[in-house]
Amino acid sequence: MDNSRFYRILMVGVMFFFSYVLYFLFGRNKREQSSVPAGMQLLALTPLLRYLMYGMGMLFLVFGGVMSIGMVSAGVEPVLFLLVAGMCAVTAGMFFVLGYAFYSRHVFFDKEKIMVGRPFRQPDILTWEEVGRADFKKARVLLYDKKGKRRLEASAGMIGYESFRELAERETQRIR
């Protein structure tokens, strides 16, 4: 195995290790579960995806810092220095925004309504009576409104999926 492949494998391993450390320290949906309205249940993406994005953002910030220090000590032109630092900062910011987007895609549901979280917008509130069609595939549930617009997609990898699927099957059978 050559050195470049070894370093790539090592970097990916460090990234996953850092993400798991963040997950075990801050994850396990504590933040989402503390914000669940009374009487409702939570359907959310696994927090590991969110912390993987945060870990990638931190990795780019560290990489940008190390590159900046190396470039300053080597006496590189200021324009090149600003270009590399800016690219690393923008890429890190993009990963942090993706982490927030994964967090804000949570869904709160009960027997009356469904509140679908949307990044940077107000939640989409849908009552079970507004559901026009529901497709139950092997590992996901798709809910459509009466106009045919898809309003929610829930997959088996989400936290709270089993209880959501049971409630969706029961409520859509009751409405029809």
Side-chain angles (χ1 to χ4, degrees), residues 141-160:
V141 175
L142 301 170
L143 295 181
Y144 298 88
D145 62 9
K146 296 199 186 268
K147 295 177 184 175
K149 180 182 175 189
R150 185 169 72 185
R151 301 286 291 271
L152 175 64
E153 178 179 347
S155 62
M158 299 175 84
I159 296 169

Side-chain angles (χ1 to χ4, degrees), residues 89-148:
V90 166
T91 305
M94 180 190 67
F95 279 114
F96 286 125
V97 167
L98 281 172
Y100 172 74
F102 281 139
Y103 164 70
S104 64
R105 293 215 32 221
H106 54 263
V107 176
F108 302 126
F109 63 95
D110 63 5
K111 292 182 180 181
E112 288 91 32
K113 64 183 174 182
I114 307 164
M115 295 172 55
V116 181
R118 300 181 299 179
F120 308 109
R121 293 183 281 172
Q122 293 293 326
D124 184 20
I125 299 174
L126 176 71
T127 62
W128 287 106
E129 286 79 24
E130 293 174 350
V131 174
R133 186 181 83 185
D135 290 339
F136 297 98
K137 310 250 189 226
K138 182 186 275 187
R140 61 185 180 149
V141 175
L142 301 170
L143 295 181
Y144 298 88
D145 62 9
K146 296 199 186 268
K147 295 177 184 175

Side-chain angles (χ1 to χ4, degrees), residues 75-89:
V76 174
E77 291 290 323
V79 174
L80 185 61
F81 166 75
L82 289 175
L83 181 67
V84 170
M87 284 183 358
C88 289

Side-chain angles (χ1 to χ4, degrees), residues 17-27 51-52 54-55 58:
F17 176 74
F18 185 66
S19 300
Y20 275 112
V21 168
L22 283 174
Y23 170 69
F24 284 117
L25 289 178
F26 304 110
Y51 287 112
L52 186 62
Y54 293 154
M58 289 300 294

Side-chain angles (χ1 to χ4, degrees), residues 32-56:
E32 283 100 345
Q33 290 184 4
S34 66
S35 66
V36 175
M40 298 188 100
Q41 296 178 10
L42 174 69
L43 175 69
L45 294 170
T46 178
L48 183 61
L49 295 173
R50 179 174 76 231
Y51 287 112
L52 186 62
M53 292 299 115
Y54 293 154
M56 286 293 293

